[in-house]
Amino acid sequence: MTVQSRFLKAKDFAVLYSEGFEDELSLFDVAVVEPSARDGTSLQKIKSNGTVVLAYVSAMEVHRWSDEFKLLKNSDYLKYGGQPMINHKYGTCIVDLRSKTWQNLLYHKIGGLLLGSGYDGIFADTVGDIEFPQINEALKDELAMAAAEFFSQIKEMSGDSIIVQNNGLEKLSLYTGGIIDGICWENPPFGIKDSRLILRRVLDRLERLKEEKGLKVMLLLEEGESSSPFGREPYEKILKTASDEAYGRDFLIYHAPPMYIGKVNPGVSKLNIGSKIQLDIKLTCNL
């Protein structure tokens, strides 16, 4: 069975950016991991049961301490008010996807992961930055087109490999929907009461992409992001609502530990969303 076939038939997935937990990850159909935390032995252990393993790749953000940052110039970054854009939450600089230097660096990195290290595909994070409100509509179109062209190049290079796009659910998905294999919505606002209309609109759009483009749709909930702010629903209720939507629409769903590190949470199934999952949450979250 091809990687594509296994991915499209997947019933669950997990995300972990720290090292270890190979046995736990191998129990899932799809696992998203940070390649800098894995060596060849670790990767093969996860793949031993047929798990499709995707390498995390930041498509539009770099840390100042990264090797890539040293090779980029001021002209390679997106600007706002004449200054390079910064994601202050993570302290990262936002790169212009139209930059040939950046494209070449990404192409080399992804090629090494797919053709050299043996990953089954990539989880393209931060590409949703294209939809930041500070970016005007004309530039969003240019960046979305650049993303679609770049994903097409990756497909040509990698053959049977998988591309999952994280976020970019509005404009970007219109350009990339026919190229990528899956799309993930990270931390959908199920716990915010005023977001019901937005939730319904985006979920409906994702369902159309699944039906029209054959995409695998994934919902990714992070414990800390979903439950800590005041005025939000308890995490058990958020997870129950999200799982009902996921299983009603044939989406995959995973509830991840804070920062996606330190442990592998059990899969969320329609049958165990009750006491088993709630018990696990109570043991691992400060509710």
Side-chain angles (χ1 to χ4, degrees):
M1 187 182 296
T2 66
V3 172
Q4 293 274 344
S5 298
R6 287 189 285 132
F7 178 74
L8 291 176
K9 291 181 178 180
K11 299 299 182 183
D12 54 22
F13 79 108
V15 179
L16 184 71
Y17 296 152
S18 53
E19 62 185 4
F21 298 95
E22 289 86 1
D23 291 340
E24 291 87 346
L25 290 170
S26 72
L27 298 177
F28 289 84
D29 293 335
V30 178
V32 178
V33 302
E34 166 54 58
S36 65
R38 303 285 161 186
D39 59 17
T41 301
S42 173
L43 177 59
Q44 290 307 313
K45 283 182 179 179
I46 300 171
K47 297 177 70 172
S48 62
N49 288 334
T51 300
V52 174
V53 185
L54 307 180
Y56 173 94
V57 173
S58 179
M60 284 186 63
E61 295 184 19
V62 294
H63 287 278
R64 289 179 173 86
W65 45 257
S66 67
D67 293 335
E68 292 91 349
F69 181 82
K70 302 170 186 175
L71 300 173
L72 296 172
K73 299 178 180 179
N74 185 273
S75 57
D76 294 313
Y77 296 100
L78 280 180
K79 306 292 197 307
Y80 181 72
Q83 297 298 317
M85 292 180 65
I86 305 293
N87 184 338
H88 293 286
K89 181 176 180 180
Y90 299 106
T92 49
C93 303
I94 300 176
V95 190
D96 190 335
L97 261 181
R98 299 169 299 176
S99 162
K100 294 302 180 184
T101 299
W102 178 240
Q103 288 184 10
N104 289 335
L105 287 171
L106 271 184
Y107 197 75
H108 177 75
K109 180 177 183 177
I110 294 170
L113 292 169
L114 300 180
L115 304 179
S117 298
Y119 283 91
D120 296 310
I122 63 167
F123 182 80
D125 192 26
T126 69
V127 69
D129 291 0
I130 286 172
E131 298 181 351
F132 278 174
Q134 301 96 318
I135 301 175
N136 65 57
E137 292 302 314
L139 181 52
K140 285 180 181 178
D141 283 321
E142 289 186 31
L143 293 169
M145 189 177 300
E149 291 174 354
F150 183 75
F151 284 158
S152 294
Q153 293 175 8
I154 297 301
K155 279 293 186 181
E156 291 178 8
M157 170 186 69
S158 60
D160 193 35
S161 296
I162 301 299
I163 297 176
V164 173
Q165 172 184 307
N166 192 31
N167 294 326
L169 311 174
E170 298 280 347
K171 183 180 289 286
L172 181 59
S173 63
L174 300 177
Y175 286 83
T176 60
I179 303 168
I180 59 179
D181 304 281
I183 189 165
C184 179
W185 190 3
E186 183 180 13
N187 289 319
F190 284 105
I192 302 176
K193 294 180 181 179
D194 294 339
S195 68
R196 289 190 179 95
L197 291 178
I198 295 174
L199 272 167
R200 185 66 50 199
R201 178 168 57 85
V202 177
L203 289 170
D204 288 347
R205 177 182 294 115
L206 290 172
E207 191 165 18
R208 287 196 299 273
L209 283 169
K210 179 176 72 71
E211 298 299 329
E212 296 172 5
K213 305 295 184 181
L215 297 185
K216 203 72 173 176
V217 178
M218 307 155 84
L219 302 182
L220 177 58
L221 282 71
E222 181 188 356
E223 289 175 10
E225 287 293 314
S226 300
S227 59
S228 59
F230 291 106
R232 295 196 176 191
E233 301 284 357
Y235 187 59
E236 300 104 318
K237 186 173 182 180
I238 293 170
L239 186 57
K240 176 65 167 62
T241 303
S243 68
D244 287 345
E245 289 286 354
Y247 285 95
R249 298 172 185 265
D250 194 25
F251 296 170
L252 303 188
I253 182 171
Y254 181 65
H255 77 109
M259 302 297 294
Y260 308 106
I261 61 174
K263 65 173 181 170
V264 176
N265 280 339
V268 182
S269 74
K270 194 171 185 179
L271 295 177
N272 71 9
I273 190 61
S275 59
K276 182 179 178 182
I277 286 293
Q278 290 184 13
L279 176 60
D280 175 74
I281 294 166
K282 289 177 181 177
L283 289 174
T284 57
C285 301
N286 294 320
L287 294 176

